[in-house]
Amino acid sequence: MQLIDEQHIAEPGLVVLDITARDEDTIRAVMAALEERWATSGVGPARRDPGEPGVRARIYADVLRPRRDDP
């Protein structure tokens, strides 16, 4: 995973979520659910770390802004 730079989350409401799940289907479902609620960076790639169980992904979200297509 990339390091999180303070500038990425310098504004109120911005969050970086590192998600770990058993499989890619689960991780994509979680990211899609977050995307339905908030403005996010979108569904990103899932990665497997050698020797570690499951898959990991990162998503950036603005929890103060609803998703893009909300009124």
Side-chain angles (χ1 to χ4, degrees):
M1 290 284 160
Q2 295 175 316
L3 294 176
I4 300 170
D5 186 318
E6 279 188 48
Q7 292 177 343
H8 287 150
I9 56 172
E11 296 179 36
L14 297 180
V15 297
V16 179
L17 302 166
D18 287 322
I19 303 165
T20 303
R22 181 178 178 167
D23 56 46
E24 288 189 31
D25 290 339
T26 302
I27 214 162
R28 291 191 192 291
V30 169
M31 288 192 291
L34 293 169
E35 191 173 39
E36 287 180 14
R37 181 175 181 117
W38 298 313
T40 72
S41 59
V43 176
R47 293 184 272 306
R48 291 190 183 274
D49 293 331
E52 295 290 324
V55 293
R56 302 175 195 280
R58 176 173 281 177
I59 191 167
Y60 299 87
D62 184 342
V63 299
L64 298 180
R65 278 192 318 156
R67 66 182 189 179
R68 291 172 182 86
D69 59 350
D70 280 353

